[in-house]
Amino acid sequence: MNSDSRLLKDLFNSFKPDMPLEPGDTRYVDCNSVRGDEDVTRELGGYITKDENNTYQLYSGHRGGGKSTELKRLRKYLEDSGCVVVYFAAATEDAGDLSFQDTQYQDILLSCTRQLLEKLKDRADSSPIQNWLRDRWKELIDLALTEVSLDKLDLSVALSQLAKITAAVRTEPNKRREIRKLVEPNTESLVQALNEFIRNAKSTNNRIVIIADNLDRIVQTQPEEGAPTNLEDIFINRSELMRGLDCHIVYTAPISLLYSTSSSELQNIYGKIQILPMVMVQSQDGSVWESGMKKLRIALEKRVSYVEERELVPQIFDTEKTVQLLCFSCGGHLRDLMHIARDAVNQTTQLPIPEKAVKRAITKFRRGYMEALRESEWALLLKVHETKQRLNEDAYRNLLNKRCILEYCFFDDDDERISWYDVHPLIRGSKLFKERWANYQTANHES
């Protein structure tokens, strides 16, 4: 393997898109100034460290926009401030406690139970949770979730049983339904047991914080027309349980829910809603936003220097034009940036990476967005591109949820937060969009 091949392989892995960065990672880039000037440590952390009562906050944004990396920064900030933090990714592609496709509030409560017990087992008496399990031991045996005799129930067994329960919730639909039937009439007693456990832990530290990440990946379902969706049931109808634990909690939530007509109700329940917007790569008039593009260029530089000290241009990419094309095409969405860069590396056998490889990577990645569009949504896309705004309707929220339209924000000269929207550059760069945009302009001009 020659030196270029080795470096390309290392770059391919350094551009890994689904890997949140840990606090202190040299690849991290502070993008707050180009996405609304809102720091998660101040906006969420400030409330936690200052409020004498428990806080229950929601955090959202486009999937892949960097929420997990920011929440890991929040965890470090809170730990440095003396808090005990229980951070967990409630669901990932191949692990976690929840099923993306089918999640209800009982599942989240069980996940919090397991994570709290695991994190705080050396800080507090776990008997309240052990007793809760003990009282339901026969049901667990009937569900084939345990073969352990009741007299052997101790902390290690309790953790093992909770792990089996949450694993079944994630992977076995039939058992998932039965576990929910078991938990449903016993949620109040489980919350009481958890709070007793938490209060025991507070004897050594009075600020315990749960950060439940990846709940924004829950797929919205609706049992029947006119009924509340599962998201509304979890975050609104069951909010007393979601706010029932005697500690601070940060929940991630799907962006589609926070932009729905339930927004004011959610704000009434959880306080101000924190949403992480995209890195601004353009202004509302379509011109390049240089400060945002610079941040994305730095992100690429840091991924390169992480594996080897090389100049981004011309040693890794052939020209600045190629780098600018790569950065602009992602629309300020960091995961898309890494996906496209990674595929461009894969297209390349010898450095520097040429513009042709980036263009081909863009074309291939564009397909996912184009296939996600329904014919009925094209008129909405064109309207958003024209006005840089969206209407508060389900169809627009669906486009936002699919990242076909992206949100940007900044503070104007009067310190007012301005949010605006545009079609993802990958869609705008397609021949089909350009044709439809030209026809749209012609039709509007003639009318």
Side-chain angles (χ1 to χ4, degrees), residues 69-88:
T69 294
E70 294 302 310
L71 287 175
K72 286 174 179 285
R73 286 184 60 239
L74 174 63
R75 180 196 66 197
K76 178 66 164 55
Y77 167 81
L78 292 171
E79 289 173 343
D80 289 346
S81 301
C83 301
V84 175
V85 182
V86 182
Y87 169 90
F88 62 99

Side-chain angles (χ1 to χ4, degrees), residues 273-372:
I273 306 299
Q274 187 70 20
I275 297 176
L276 183 69
M278 293 295 93
V279 172
M280 272 184 58
V281 294
Q282 66 177 67
S283 61
Q284 288 169 284
D285 63 9
S287 60
V288 171
W289 192 264
E290 293 294 346
S291 55
M293 293 285 281
K294 183 178 180 180
K295 290 287 187 182
L296 296 183
R297 190 185 193 283
I298 292 172
L300 293 173
E301 287 177 334
K302 290 196 171 192
R303 298 278 174 154
V304 170
S305 62
Y306 186 79
V307 297
E308 188 171 317
E309 286 296 335
R310 293 278 190 108
E311 291 184 8
L312 193 63
V313 176
Q315 293 181 312
I316 302 300
F317 293 95
D318 57 355
T319 65
E320 283 293 340
K321 179 184 175 186
T322 300
V323 173
Q324 292 286 302
L325 173 64
L326 172 57
C327 292
F328 189 81
S329 67
C330 77
H333 187 270
L334 294 170
R335 185 179 292 175
D336 283 1
L337 176 68
M338 297 304 158
H339 270 299
I340 298 168
R342 202 177 200 219
D343 195 63
V345 169
N346 193 50
Q347 302 282 331
T348 304
T349 57
Q350 184 176 352
L351 290 169
I353 299 167
E355 181 180 5
K356 179 180 179 180
V358 170
K359 283 184 174 180
R360 288 196 172 184
I362 290 170
T363 298
K364 289 197 297 181
F365 202 64
R366 173 181 292 133
R367 180 179 177 180
Y369 284 99
M370 300 301 289
E371 292 293 335

Side-chain angles (χ1 to χ4, degrees), residues 105-165:
Y105 74 97
Q106 301 101 320
D107 312 343
I108 297 171
L109 183 59
L110 285 170
S111 182
C112 287
T113 301
R114 185 174 79 83
Q115 298 293 339
L116 277 165
L117 187 59
E118 181 67 44
K119 179 73 176 183
L120 304 178
K121 61 186 178 184
D122 297 326
R123 294 175 177 268
D125 177 11
S126 61
S127 59
I129 297 175
Q130 292 181 49
N131 290 337
W132 189 88
L133 286 169
R134 187 186 305 275
D135 292 342
R136 285 141 196 93
W137 207 251
K138 184 181 183 302
E139 289 93 333
L140 293 175
I141 292 174
D142 291 342
L143 288 172
L145 291 173
T146 185
E147 296 177 354
V148 180
S149 62
L150 188 59
D151 58 359
K152 293 182 179 180
L153 179 58
D154 57 16
L155 176 59
S156 63
V157 172
L159 279 169
S160 173
Q161 293 311 128
L162 283 168
K164 285 184 179 180
I165 291 170

Side-chain angles (χ1 to χ4, degrees), residues 312-441:
L312 193 63
V313 176
Q315 293 181 312
I316 302 300
F317 293 95
D318 57 355
T319 65
E320 283 293 340
K321 179 184 175 186
T322 300
V323 173
Q324 292 286 302
L325 173 64
L326 172 57
C327 292
F328 189 81
S329 67
C330 77
H333 187 270
L334 294 170
R335 185 179 292 175
D336 283 1
L337 176 68
M338 297 304 158
H339 270 299
I340 298 168
R342 202 177 200 219
D343 195 63
V345 169
N346 193 50
Q347 302 282 331
T348 304
T349 57
Q350 184 176 352
L351 290 169
I353 299 167
E355 181 180 5
K356 179 180 179 180
V358 170
K359 283 184 174 180
R360 288 196 172 184
I362 290 170
T363 298
K364 289 197 297 181
F365 202 64
R366 173 181 292 133
R367 180 179 177 180
Y369 284 99
M370 300 301 289
E371 292 293 335
L373 288 171
R374 301 187 182 97
E375 182 62 32
S376 60
E377 293 173 324
W378 275 97
L380 308 181
L381 283 180
L382 297 170
K383 192 67 175 177
V384 168
H385 185 54
E386 178 187 33
T387 64
K388 301 299 186 287
Q389 297 298 321
R390 63 169 183 86
L391 298 181
N392 192 28
E393 295 178 358
D394 285 342
Y396 287 89
R397 287 190 286 270
N398 187 46
L399 287 170
L400 193 67
N401 198 45
K402 295 190 293 187
R403 299 199 309 277
C404 294
I405 59 175
L406 302 175
E407 179 187 14
Y408 303 95
C409 70
F410 63 94
F411 283 89
D412 65 13
D413 293 338
D414 296 322
D415 279 332
E416 183 175 350
R417 189 179 189 273
I418 305 297
S419 293
W420 60 280
Y421 305 83
D422 204 351
V423 179
H424 196 304
L426 286 172
I427 297 174
R428 297 203 319 260
S430 68
K431 290 182 179 179
L432 182 57
F433 181 88
K434 291 175 182 177
E435 290 171 0
R436 295 197 177 204
W437 176 242
N439 292 337
Y440 180 84
Q441 286 182 303

